[in-house]
Amino acid sequence: MKMDSEQLNKVITGCQAGRNKDFAVLVDIYGRKCYGYFYRLTGDREVSNDLLSELFLKLVEKIGSFRGGSFDTWLFTIAMNLFRDHLRGKYRRQKLMDEKSKLVAREESSLEPAGPDTDALQEALGQLDPETAELISLRYFGELSFKELARMRNEPIGTTLSRVHRGLKRLKELMADKV
Amino acid sequence: MNMHKENLDDLLRQFHDERTAREIKQDLAEGQALFDENPAPAASPELLDSVKSRIQMKLRTRRYHRSLRYIRNAAAAAAVILVLALIPLFRSPESQTGGKTHVAVSESVLNWDDDGEYGLDSNMQLIEAQLDDISDTLLSLQLGESLSEEPAEITDLEMDLVDTSELFWKG
């Protein structure tokens, strides 16, 4: 579902006024992209489902604070923060499990459904450093420009550009190795 | 990938020479193509519907809580206005003209005290004076400073003491 910026602004204004049907439009526009972003970073459908729901509920809370500019950048910044919170939570759970018992940790990690869901690209992304994987996913699913990405990450545009370039090049090599 | 939001050629040429810029552009395009060739699973329509319903529920809850807050604030504001409006009605004419801050309610309490507490005060003063007299007399007797040789006076004093005590306990 595509719409021009004027139409999108109307939808956002409707959301800020608390109109349910405008939120539904936002879900239709961004739901798939955000799901893809979460999925490519987690490799887990269930977690991606949860993160997507959480993202839109957060959107309801925060939409009033959107003050113009690029809505995509704004939305994907929330998505990025949610994913980072998820990672931190996962890390804490893992640490707790390690402390309790190595046996339990092994059992729990074997329950994680990453295995059946993963494809070649997922595996290759998993071999990149997490920041680069995140950046590449943001670039692709958020359709964000290098300028927007650099602003999001508070770094010079040249740094973002070379990081994405290196990451994609490495990704291509990893995929070539798998074939 | 939507590349219309930026001019990649211009951007790359800011950092690299023509040839390197072209190579990087090629690498970026090939890397991005990997995502097109290996699409992530799509969010199911059920998931999107469930997200929409959860949003609807959240909006309803927010509206409900907002209404409750409005009602609570309105009730508090109404109470304050009511109290402020009623205060002048309770002001005594004296305080209104004299600029004193006593209100009529306090005045009526004072009037009620006139009947009760003022009377009690005067009784208390009388009792205290009598007790002082009696204790002085008893002290004098104990010290042998007889006011009178007649035992009847001592009996009278004792009777006074009993009467005063009774009066005291009756209030």
Side-chain angles (χ1 to χ4, degrees):
Chain A
M1 189 174 181
K2 288 271 175 191
M3 58 169 54
D4 61 39
S5 61
E6 198 181 321
Q7 285 174 310
L8 181 63
N9 283 339
K10 273 185 191 165
V11 171
I12 293 167
T13 309
C15 291
Q16 287 174 327
R19 275 201 294 272
N20 183 49
K21 70 178 174 72
D22 286 315
F23 277 107
V25 174
L26 280 191
V27 173
D28 287 335
I29 300 171
Y30 291 100
R32 285 173 180 82
K33 286 186 201 175
C34 294
Y35 183 83
Y37 167 73
F38 287 132
Y39 178 80
R40 278 298 174 219
L41 291 174
T42 61
D44 188 321
R45 280 173 184 264
E46 285 302 311
V47 174
S48 304
N49 290 353
D50 291 346
L51 287 172
L52 189 75
S53 301
E54 217 176 310
L55 172 67
F56 279 101
L57 292 179
K58 203 134 227 165
L59 183 75
V60 175
E61 283 170 25
K62 289 183 176 279
I63 191 80
S65 67
F66 176 68
R67 298 272 177 268
S70 164
F71 182 74
D72 292 34
T73 310
W74 186 79
L75 180 65
F76 273 89
T77 304
I78 299 175
M80 183 178 79
N81 289 332
L82 268 180
F83 170 67
R84 288 178 180 178
D85 286 348
H86 161 75
L87 271 192
R88 275 193 286 272
K90 195 176 166 187
Y91 172 74
R92 274 199 295 270
R93 281 195 300 276
Q94 192 66 44
K95 208 173 162 191
L96 190 70
M97 282 193 299
D98 286 348
E99 280 168 11
K100 279 170 91 177
S101 134
K102 281 184 179 173
L103 180 67
V104 174
R106 264 203 300 278
E107 282 172 0
E108 288 288 325
S109 60
S110 71
L111 289 175
E112 285 186 7
D117 272 0
T118 52
D119 55 20
L121 181 60
Q122 196 67 48
E123 279 177 33
L125 269 172
Q127 289 177 51
L128 299 179
D129 71 276
E131 265 192 73
T132 305
E134 183 186 80
L135 196 52
I136 290 173
S137 302
L138 277 174
R139 167 94 179 150
Y140 183 79
F141 292 104
E143 299 183 3
L144 302 179
S145 66
F146 282 107
K147 194 176 168 187
E148 287 170 328
L149 285 172
R151 202 180 299 145
M152 258 174 100
R153 295 169 53 83
N154 251 334
E155 65 184 16
I157 193 166
T159 311
T160 309
L161 183 60
S162 64
R163 197 191 275 268
V164 171
H165 175 228
R166 274 201 312 270
L168 286 174
K169 213 172 168 183
R170 177 81 186 121
L171 199 64
K172 204 169 73 172
E173 289 165 6
L174 289 167
M175 289 294 280
D177 290 346
K178 288 180 194 303
V179 175
Chain B
M1 173 96 194
N2 176 13
M3 302 298 276
H4 302 294
K5 285 200 255 176
E6 64 191 344
N7 188 330
L8 200 54
D9 293 320
D10 283 354
L11 179 66
L12 290 170
R13 262 186 246 121
Q14 282 178 29
F15 299 97
H16 306 282
D17 59 61
E18 191 76 31
R19 198 174 134 259
T20 317
R22 222 180 10 252
E23 281 173 11
I24 292 175
K25 194 180 173 185
Q26 179 71 18
D27 286 338
L28 289 174
E30 285 174 7
Q32 301 287 347
L34 290 174
F35 282 86
D36 293 332
E37 291 157 13
N38 299 274
S44 66
E46 291 79 22
L47 171 66
L48 297 181
D49 286 344
S50 132
V51 170
K52 287 175 191 172
S53 334
R54 288 182 70 179
I55 289 174
Q56 193 173 12
M57 270 171 60
K58 191 170 176 103
L59 286 172
R60 270 193 205 143
T61 315
R62 274 180 54 174
R63 254 178 241 133
Y64 171 74
H65 284 296
R66 201 174 289 166
S67 309
L68 264 187
R69 212 168 40 239
Y70 282 147
I71 291 168
R72 237 181 272 144
N73 290 345
V80 170
I81 291 166
L82 193 68
V83 169
L84 289 174
L86 287 177
I87 281 177
L89 298 178
F90 286 100
R91 282 185 192 278
S92 66
E94 187 188 333
S95 64
Q96 278 174 358
T97 52
K100 290 180 185 173
T101 53
H102 294 296
V103 291
V105 175
S106 310
E107 202 69 35
S108 68
V109 170
L110 277 175
N111 289 339
W112 178 83
D113 283 349
D114 274 347
D115 295 333
E117 208 171 283
Y118 281 11
L120 279 177
D121 278 354
S122 56
N123 283 341
M124 283 298 290
Q125 281 166 359
L126 184 69
I127 289 164
E128 277 171 9
Q130 284 180 347
L131 281 172
D132 284 344
D133 282 348
I134 292 164
S135 60
D136 284 347
T137 312
L138 282 173
L139 190 66
S140 302
L141 285 170
Q142 280 167 355
L143 292 171
E145 297 171 3
S146 177
L147 296 171
S148 164
E149 295 297 319
E150 293 172 14
E153 280 196 357
I154 297 173
T155 311
D156 287 346
L157 275 172
E158 282 174 348
M159 289 306 294
D160 278 351
L161 183 63
V162 170
D163 288 345
T164 308
S165 296
E166 277 176 3
L167 189 60
F168 176 81
W169 288 114
K170 279 177 191 168

